[in-house]
Amino acid sequence: MILIFLGPPGAGKGTQAKHIVDRYGVPQLSTGDMLRAAVAAKTPIGLKAKAIMDAGDLVSDEVVAAIVEERIEQDDCAGGFLLDGFPRTLPQAEMLDAMLEKKELALDAVVELRVDEAVLIDRLRSRIAETEARGEEIRKDDNEETFKKRLGVYQEQTAPLIPYYEKQGKLKVVDGMGSVEAVSAAIDAILDEFRGS
Ligand code: AMP
């Protein structure tokens, strides 16, 4: 099963991705996590990506696509995978199509988590308050100003993927406004038909 998770920052992609990993046994490939690991390890890619990520901008299409291509060639991806945070631009979507075609793989579905922007900003404020209450550090790109920038980047660069995948007949829209359990159930209702593919 090859899936893409689409949705604005804070829509709950990470939380629901964990659910999909548990239920369907496919690995979660989060380009955000991979880039944060590269930043932490101070690799050449990480050193370049840090300032871009901190500002809420997008890392270059070529860099991200190369990271994904290398990752999907690993053994644990043989039975499929869930892309979380990639593709994020039309060129990335085209690169992914080419990559999959070359490997004779086919995308099963693109799950879009749809959530109102006002709800996302409320959720961000609670997340910041909870993180602070635990005495933990807040992600540099999780302050309100940068978050709004990331929402703008999503609308401009990532939202065009919605009609792109709709045209391919791959798009499945899930209402992301309910409880975590309700959203998981809505995702399961869609994905159970792809089980085993
Ligand atoms: P995320 O954890 O998915 O919100 O990603 C955090 C940051 O990593 C983003 O704001 C971007 O700077 C960068 N990033 C993650 N995935 C991509 C991607 N597919 N293309 C470009 N930049 C990305």
Side-chain angles (χ1 to χ4, degrees):
M1 186 162 68
I2 300 180
L3 300 170
I4 293 176
F5 231 163
L6 208 56
K13 294 194 298 296
T15 306
Q16 295 299 336
K18 302 275 178 298
H19 167 76
I20 293 178
V21 167
D22 291 345
R23 187 174 168 99
Y24 302 93
V26 288
Q28 171 197 8
L29 273 44
S30 156
T31 43
D33 285 350
M34 293 180 214
L35 288 166
R36 279 185 287 278
V39 170
K42 297 195 165 67
T43 67
I45 286 178
L47 292 173
K48 261 201 211 154
K50 187 178 184 316
I52 299 171
M53 292 170 73
D54 284 351
D57 286 318
L58 293 183
V59 174
S60 87
D61 292 333
E62 288 70 22
V63 165
V64 182
I67 294 179
V68 170
E69 180 150 31
E70 196 182 299
R71 181 66 186 85
I72 65 178
E73 282 165 2
Q74 292 173 17
D75 290 347
D76 63 331
C77 292
F81 44 86
L82 166 67
L83 291 167
D84 164 15
F86 177 91
R88 242 172 163 106
T89 64
L90 281 174
Q92 289 182 18
E94 287 161 1
M95 285 185 219
L96 176 66
D97 280 348
M99 226 184 269
L100 293 177
E101 200 183 324
K102 195 171 77 184
K103 297 181 197 307
E104 297 183 351
L105 296 172
L107 179 65
D108 288 296
V110 177
V111 177
E112 184 206 346
L113 276 188
R114 207 164 270 185
V115 184
D116 279 357
E117 277 203 10
V119 171
L120 293 176
I121 293 177
D122 279 350
R123 285 187 186 173
L124 171 79
R125 289 183 182 138
S126 338
R127 199 160 64 232
I128 290 176
E130 283 161 18
T131 309
E132 275 174 344
R134 285 197 303 270
E136 290 168 13
E137 205 183 330
I138 295 160
R139 248 171 73 177
K140 270 229 177 70
D141 60 355
D142 242 358
N143 64 67
E144 196 163 325
E145 190 192 335
T146 312
F147 186 79
K148 285 183 176 159
K149 165 87 178 286
R150 288 163 65 210
L151 280 178
V153 169
Y154 178 81
Q155 286 309 336
E156 261 173 45
Q157 308 217 48
T158 310
L161 298 184
I162 296 168
Y164 179 86
Y165 286 119
E166 203 164 21
K167 271 194 211 111
Q168 290 191 5
K170 299 280 163 73
L171 187 74
K172 311 281 173 191
V173 181
V174 169
D175 176 0
M177 308 270 277
S179 64
V180 170
E181 294 73 22
V183 176
S184 297
I187 292 174
D188 292 345
I190 290 168
L191 295 188
D192 280 352
E193 76 174 276
F194 298 104
R195 230 177 184 160
S197 68

